[in-house]
Amino acid sequence: MRYIPLTQAEKQEMLDTLGISSVQELFDDIPQHIRLDTDLDLPEALTEAELVKHFQALAQKNTDLNSVVSFMGAGAYDHLIPSAIKHIVGRGEFLTAYTPYQAEISQGVLQSTFEYQSLIAEITGMEVANASMYDGATALAEACLMACAATRRELVVLPSTLHPEWQEVVKLYLENQDVQIAYLPYDGQTGLIDAQALEGVNWSEVACVVVQQPNFFGLLENAACLGERIHEHGGLFIMAVDPISLSVLKAPGELGADIVVGDGQSLGNAMGFGGPSLGFFATSGSKLVRRMPGRVVGETVDTEGRRGFVLTLQTREQHIRREKATSNICSNQALNALVAAIYLNILGKEGYQEVGNHCLQKAHYFKQQILTIDGLSSPFSAPSFREFVIQGDVDWEEINLKLLEKGFLGGLPLDRYGLPGHVLFSVTEARTKEEMDTFTTLLRGLI
Amino acid sequence: MRYIPLTQAEKQEMLDTLGISSVQELFDDIPQHIRLDTDLDLPEALTEAELVKHFQALAQKNTDLNSVVSFMGAGAYDHLIPSAIKHIVGRGEFLTAYTPYQAEISQGVLQSTFEYQSLIAEITGMEVANASMYDGATALAEACLMACAATRRELVVLPSTLHPEWQEVVKLYLENQDVQIAYLPYDGQTGLIDAQALEGVNWSEVACVVVQQPNFFGLLENAACLGERIHEHGGLFIMAVDPISLSVLKAPGELGADIVVGDGQSLGNAMGFGGPSLGFFATSGSKLVRRMPGRVVGETVDTEGRRGFVLTLQTREQHIRREKATSNICSNQALNALVAAIYLNILGKEGYQEVGNHCLQKAHYFKQQILTIDGLSSPFSAPSFREFVIQGDVDWEEINLKLLEKGFLGGLPLDRYGLPGHVLFSVTEARTKEEMDTFTTLLRGLI
Amino acid sequence: MTTKRVVPLIFERSTPGRRGYRLPALDVPEVSIDQLIPQEHLRTQPAELPEVSELEVIRHYTQLSRLNHGVDVGFYPLGSCTMKYNPRVHEDVTSLPGFAAIHPYQPESSVQGALELMYNLSEYLAIISGLEATTLQPAAGAHGELAGLMVIKAFHAHNGEGHRNEMLIPDSAHGTNPASCAMVGYKVVEVPSDDRGGVDVEALKKLVGPNTAGLMLTNPNTLGLFDENICTISQIVHDVGGLLYYDGANANAILGIVRPGDMGFDVVHYNLHKTFSTPHGGGGPGSGPISVSKDLAPFLPGPVVRKEGDKYVFATPEHSIGRLKSFYGNFLVYAKAYAYILSHGPQGLREVSEIAVLHANYMMRRLQDVYYLPVDRHCKHEFVLSGMWQKELGVRTTDIAKRLLDYGYHAPTVYFPLIVDEAIMIEPTETEPKSTLDEFIEAMRAIAQEAKDNPENLTSAPHHTPVTRLDESRAARQPILRWQKS
Amino acid sequence: MTTKRVVPLIFERSTPGRRGYRLPALDVPEVSIDQLIPQEHLRTQPAELPEVSELEVIRHYTQLSRLNHGVDVGFYPLGSCTMKYNPRVHEDVTSLPGFAAIHPYQPESSVQGALELMYNLSEYLAIISGLEATTLQPAAGAHGELAGLMVIKAFHAHNGEGHRNEMLIPDSAHGTNPASCAMVGYKVVEVPSDDRGGVDVEALKKLVGPNTAGLMLTNPNTLGLFDENICTISQIVHDVGGLLYYDGANANAILGIVRPGDMGFDVVHYNLHKTFSTPHGGGGPGSGPISVSKDLAPFLPGPVVRKEGDKYVFATPEHSIGRLKSFYGNFLVYAKAYAYILSHGPQGLREVSEIAVLHANYMMRRLQDVYYLPVDRHCKHEFVLSGMWQKELGVRTTDIAKRLLDYGYHAPTVYFPLIVDEAIMIEPTETEPKSTLDEFIEAMRAIAQEAKDNPENLTSAPHHTPVTRLDESRAARQPILRWQKS
Ligand SMILES: Cc1ncc(COP(=O)(O)O)c(C=O)c1O
Ligand SMILES: Cc1ncc(COP(=O)(O)O)c(C=O)c1O
């Protein structure tokens, strides 16, 4: 199925206008010897109907979360997604627009982005948020780079309780700019950053310290004291947060965070095998704002004094500042940010709190149930939000395969992160008591 | 999940404005003894998430045509539906608009309806089409009534090769207005209206004769001679046609039809267990147009001379003429008519012909294959379009249940229509050779 | 260049040879068409369908849609039409392939979910009406009326009372009521209204008689007023052997509050596309099920769904009038109404009516000083004002309606009911936020002021719509009903 | 009251206590929150999210959307952005639950379809580029650049050439190229263009050296011109040990015609949201896979998908630089690009480029008498005009752009590339019908005429948009970046 409307007659007309006899002539400036003389070795074109069949066949080779009940999280969460969202983002005006460069015919995207920024600022308790980053991990990496630039320091302190993939991403970004990383180990008993380890850091060289809240194990770090520590020494405090948890947990702004980042998948975005999601990025203080990466929308007026919105503070950006820009980011995750905004709006003040509370209550219930199974225990003592780690002398990978057959996607085995026998469960408001009870019974039978 | 935004505070404000203390007071004029004093005996409200689960559970109790391959037609056809359609009709401006009573803010619905009318007029070869009827059967019933009114006669001649359900509907409409019906039997050899039977009719009393093309058995009637016969005697010629077949078959307009009706499901509408579909209704000549039932959109200009569209010829309609209206129809099947229009537009001149040809070719191929099965034969000799009858000394209902288990929905057993051992197969462009061959093999094994 | 953009007709976008969709290649041996179909049956001229690309189709309709108002775009207080919010999730669940892609003639065992839905919905509607049995076959309100009247007629005939051929209809009734009567050969006997806006009981007494087949009533009626004498009325009609037909277009006022069956009605039709929030789609598809009393149940059109053990089966009522439509009615439409009932539950449905009524009264009271209110009573879910004060200033109700379009609102229903001069019929529905009601009230008040200060601005309205006022009489005088190849 | 309707902020629609969504009732015993979470962790003030109903949300965004342009609404000739039609069916197939509702950490055996898709797409992109291996991880073009540069850097380091820290970039390059260099600590060495619009080869020769890490090139470049000396250029860079990076934003000109690998490039990134038609979504999500040569393949970020027998598995390349993003990139986005490739097939893809190029040349030739054309050569899929003739009349390119909005078009890219004064960069794409191109040409010509006759009408444009010209400098001077509770 080709989407090329030009007819033969029209093509001829155009060739005539150009005074050439074939389209090939337009490519004559490409050296002959490198021009392809055969077709690309790709499958023949499919019609729409054939394409649908092909995708249906592929989709059937995947076990999706409509057909199994999931207790897996670790950065991608199975929350309820209000139906209204897809009906809005499916509208061609949102879906098929580019970055809003011509503000006068892009008020839809601009205003909704301004609202998104406001919502993120609101939940994080920060002054300003940008229009989105690629995902939580890259947002964090950029936050660290921003901190280095702002402090003119080249050492970043990362907790080992940060999501392992995020650690990898941050490491890659930082090492390419020769920024050093110091890792804070965690306390095997609490599952939190080891307070002792803070003493070993030379804080006056540190550009920033990062805390992930809740951390990778779902546990609540003592963020405030980290923030105090770094501020004492003139560095920046970066928090990587889960946006659903912010309905229950203290706002990073209140904890003194200078930069707050996180992944917005859980705000109404499809899981989609991990992408696209969005990274949110918030900060405070005009000095930091001018160092912020990414696009930002600001309010202004038109010639008749009506309120309107435009892309602003563009002198931070690559298309103006080139190699001196605060980042190279150009396209971001606008449509996912729109999803997040719609999600927060439709949930609203009460609904948002309710989602957080339900996650918390259900995760707590589930944990109690799981712990009734002989041989399983809770390795960490710190309080948790919607994820928690369970330990047992079993092969969780194997158990997961058996659970899948019974219609359940189990938790994430942590073997690959050096914790054999550990598994990370996630429980959202989408889970029911019945599902949790059934799962517990099944699991009991497999242990 | 309730969709009522009023908050308690606002409610109180309104009550205060009204000077009443409770909403109940507004219902005080309802005699106390008939007012309900308990809740309706209905299930408790479901949230969105619960509703989705409930519907998913119901849906799973149905075997849908995404999971089985269908050879069933008989008035509801499994054609390919271009994806673009649902993206258009899902737009709130089309979906959530009412009848376009305020033309100046309804040009979207009005113009698209005008285009729909033009498309139907074009494929039927008629001058004018209305904005739609409920379905093909009711359109036909109304056409017969219109013919009676136009001719001031009270006898309608119906072919026994008309879809049995349509026969029922027409009968019900006509008998309620004391219109008589004469039936034309069919020739058991050809499967067509028995030409001999025409002689038995007192044509000068006949308001109209109806022919369905292709007829219920999928066969092509000799429409032209029926038309000639009725016209000789001053009655009207009504054709009930399949809109896909019109890409291949002679336009009713060319055959002298005075009124053309049909069901538009096959034009891009979901099968939906039989509804909603739409009936189309076309006619010619200004005298007949003024007798036409249903809404119609006309072109006009605004105060600045720009082209625009409005509902017109409303003096035919019930809201103006009340009991003297040409029909009682008010709401029609506007969104389905929009679907039909989009379908015809996206198919376009060539695509439309292609669909017709593919149906014809595949049905022909399939029939040949089926006839290779020992014990099966073709009872009727007339040429067919995309449906055909097969006969065999077997229980098709039972065979169909077995086929379903193998992933196929067989043809429609005609036992219920008095033809035991007969089955009506339908083949659309959506069927593949492979599907037909597999089906044939399977069927061979079951006979 | 102006903002009033006229979108070309799709035919005017056509270019010979262009395609918008392609079929998979024909995978069976192709036979020449005239070997399959005799020449005399073959089309001689291909239909001149537009030749456009998919992009052009999408863009054409996207542009057209942007010229259109809808509930999703703004307030739509169209009286008697109940333009409430259409929940998005109802669209989702009814487009699952398990509903959208099933064939009406599949073996019953393979569509048990669909039958269960039909069974449940039929039951629920009977419960809501306080009646016995339901058919889901009618495709719209008027079709429901037809079904109901046919059932009444069949009932009388069955009882040897086929002579009953008069249907009583109040002068405030919707046009479909008399029109539907004509469709079943009934004579319409108009009943006048009294000064409370209800049926004139004394007049009614004189109009009933041995030929009375029944009375069709909307209650609350099209003035938005509940007929307080409903029990007397039904008594009068029943006493002469007539039946009572409830036009349920106004059921949004009574859900869970009072049941038509308890008012004495024998038949009720619902406009699911109004009260039960299935979207109107620019004029349809609707769905107009009827529920009937025990006596009438055997006459319902078939098939209906029955439950046998834990199986659902199609069945035909004993004295069924027959069939009113192909298959089983507008299944995918009434499935949304089923979703609506489940979304709301019993308390939710009652709240729907309570708030719809509260909203209407609130608006009525806040407007009655600037627009004439013909009957000063609590209204139900809608109310009717009259533009007669403005008429004296040279401003017609049409002008008020057109001016409202400039404010981004759809206009109320106008010139209906016929018994009110310059009628303006406003139905806010329960799904609108109070802020919208208040803003609309302000707009109506501003317009009333404008009628005094600057009437020309109203008579020349609308000014800010995609087109300005359209010439309706020209359209009717010289009808252009289709595009013609020029 | 004017047509310029300002939509209130969603916060301004909020009413205390209103809800837009409800959760199923909590079905586990509820424990007091502070029993589960110590007080010090708990939020003290609930976030002030808007309190609105579902109707208000739908209406808010419906209204906002109607203020916005998109490919679905009209022509969008934004140079360097390839605003082509986004086929609807690609949205459908990628939103099947089998793709949209799978968890990235599911056991591999339960996501074989997803892995197969990733594997196939990686292969296809490698084939299209004439290179060896692909990663799908980068989320956008700039992210692809980052990935590519990191791979180059790792390669050099691996070969003991870590000192190479200069990246050559033509002065016509997109801003992301130098910015991405900065992200990996490379020094940007700007290469001037010659008067044919290509890389100044003599200058290049002088700029390369032992510290050269490589050259980043867009070819055709941002002038829409193919660099005829590409083989010489790659020779020069390779000769000093540098690598060639292809910024594939302009790949719409070369599909099936010439492969970056054959031009001598070692790395290429694609903007799937441009060339491969995944919708831009108002600025993202995009997808920017890179394909690399055999030598560079071991350095790709992981995981990539390999085929083992008939199983697909994740694997990490031998010298992988690590990970650039969570999980596997923008899966649902690149799945649409996969659909796009399958929809077109090899001939279709070549036709895409042929017609995109034909369209651009046709427009260029029909406009060059009224707008200055800096380099008079066949262009590829886009071309750059200059508004310098109009500038003399007091009309800036911005004014031309703004005036185009009045005609219902999005404006071309303006003031880019930086090397053209008052640049107007037009990219029609292959999916537009000729009629649109012709109409746009007429509009451009009309505007050129207006620049002479009535320049004020341009400098005050736009006139017919939802808002008139917005004050950008005010926004930057006094930044208001969020709503504040007042
Ligand atoms: C009072 C009343 N009765 C009947 C109808 C007819 O309903 P439908 O349009 O669904 O046929 C309407 C619709 O406008 C109505 O308002
Ligand atoms: C030439 C060129 N390179 C790179 C980019 C960056 O792509 P993205 O916006 O996807 O990061 C763009 C996009 O504008 C571009 O035009």
Side-chain angles (χ1 to χ4, degrees), chain A residues 393-407:
Chain A
D393 191 15
V394 292
D395 182 340
W396 289 106
E397 303 268 1
E398 208 184 291
I399 287 184
N400 273 359
L401 291 177
K402 289 187 187 143
L403 286 168
L404 258 185
E405 278 167 31
K406 304 280 182 196

Side-chain angles (χ1 to χ4, degrees), chain A residues 231-243:
Chain A
H231 283 156
E232 277 165 25
H233 295 85
L236 299 186
F237 180 37
I238 300 179
M239 287 188 72
V241 295
D242 172 80

Side-chain angles (χ1 to χ4, degrees), chain C residues 162-232:
Chain C
H163 64 280
R164 292 185 179 268
N165 67 345
E166 290 179 2
M167 186 56 66
L168 299 153
I169 300 183
D171 52 7
S172 61
H174 193 259
T176 50
N177 296 6
S180 297
C181 286
M183 297 284 286
V184 302
Y186 275 166
K187 209 181 120 207
V188 174
V189 178
E190 196 169 276
V191 187
S193 301
D194 66 13
D195 55 7
R196 296 271 296 163
V199 169
D200 182 332
V201 172
E202 291 313 309
L204 176 67
K205 284 185 188 151
K206 295 192 192 111
L207 293 170
V208 296
N211 289 338
T212 297
L215 168 75
M216 287 185 94
L217 203 64
T218 314
N219 193 25
N221 63 18
T222 59
L223 292 166
L225 301 174
F226 192 89
D227 204 314
E228 307 141 308
N229 302 319
I230 182 61
C231 299
T232 316

Side-chain angles (χ1 to χ4, degrees), chain A residues 1-7 9-10 47-50 83-84 86-87 91-93, chain C residues 15-18 20-25 53-54 56 62 66 85 88-89 91-92:
Chain A
M1 184 78 194
R2 298 170 197 179
Y3 298 90
I4 305 169
L6 197 70
T7 64
E10 290 175 323
T47 60
E48 184 177 297
E50 291 160 341
S83 156
K86 71 170 161 308
H87 293 273
R91 283 181 66 86
E93 293 94 331
Chain C
T15 303
R18 194 159 288 164
Y21 186 77
R22 279 168 205 284
L23 297 183
S53 61
E54 184 172 314
E56 286 166 289
T62 301
R66 286 162 65 106
Y85 176 62
R88 278 303 161 285
V89 67
E91 301 303 309
D92 300 345

Side-chain angles (χ1 to χ4, degrees), chain C residues 5 25 51 65 98 155 159 186 231 233 241 302 316 332 379 400 419 430 459 475:
Chain C
R5 290 210 190 90
E51 301 180 73
S65 77
F155 172 82
N159 295 337
Y186 275 166
C231 299
I233 293 167
T316 302
L332 294 180
C379 65
I400 296 167
I419 55 170
E430 73 286 357
T459 52

Side-chain angles (χ1 to χ4, degrees), chain C residues 207-398:
Chain C
L207 293 170
V208 296
N211 289 338
T212 297
L215 168 75
M216 287 185 94
L217 203 64
T218 314
N219 193 25
N221 63 18
T222 59
L223 292 166
L225 301 174
F226 192 89
D227 204 314
E228 307 141 308
N229 302 319
I230 182 61
C231 299
T232 316
I233 293 167
S234 71
Q235 188 73 48
I236 293 170
V237 176
H238 281 153
D239 279 352
V240 299
L243 295 175
L244 261 86
Y245 183 100
Y246 186 85
D247 177 339
N250 288 357
N252 212 43
I254 59 153
L255 298 173
I257 289 171
V258 57
R259 299 180 301 181
D262 297 335
M263 297 183 212
F265 286 93
D266 305 285
V267 188
V268 50
H269 88 253
Y270 290 107
N271 278 13
L272 299 185
H273 43 303
K274 297 179 179 176
T275 313
F276 296 89
S277 187
T278 75
H280 282 79
S287 179
I290 62 172
S291 294
V292 300
S293 64
K294 197 162 182 175
D295 288 349
L296 295 181
F299 299 90
L300 283 179
V304 294
V305 177
R306 300 232 164 98
K307 196 169 177 179
E308 291 180 355
D310 55 1
K311 287 239 170 62
Y312 297 90
V313 295
F314 280 124
T316 302
E318 192 183 353
H319 306 301
S320 176
I321 55 168
R323 185 186 284 278
L324 211 67
K325 188 180 179 310
S326 287
F327 311 126
Y328 325 117
N330 283 342
F331 177 78
L332 294 180
V333 178
Y334 56 70
K336 293 177 199 177
Y338 175 64
Y340 183 84
I341 293 172
L342 292 178
S343 292
H344 284 79
Q347 294 93 2
L349 288 182
R350 191 178 54 237
E351 207 189 336
V352 161
S353 290
E354 286 178 355
I355 305 304
V357 169
L358 179 62
H359 279 179
N361 278 281
Y362 174 73
M363 291 186 81
M364 180 175 80
R365 295 310 176 190
R366 292 209 43 210
L367 284 171
Q368 73 178 114
D369 59 328
V370 286
Y371 294 93
Y372 175 66
L373 177 65
V375 187
D376 189 348
R377 285 174 52 189
H378 288 327
C379 65
K380 290 289 160 296
H381 65 301
E382 64 190 358
F383 61 101
V384 178
L385 300 171
S386 163
M388 56 190 250
W389 292 345
Q390 285 71 31
K391 195 178 182 181
E392 285 164 21
L393 304 167
V395 169
R396 300 288 310 267
T397 283
T398 306

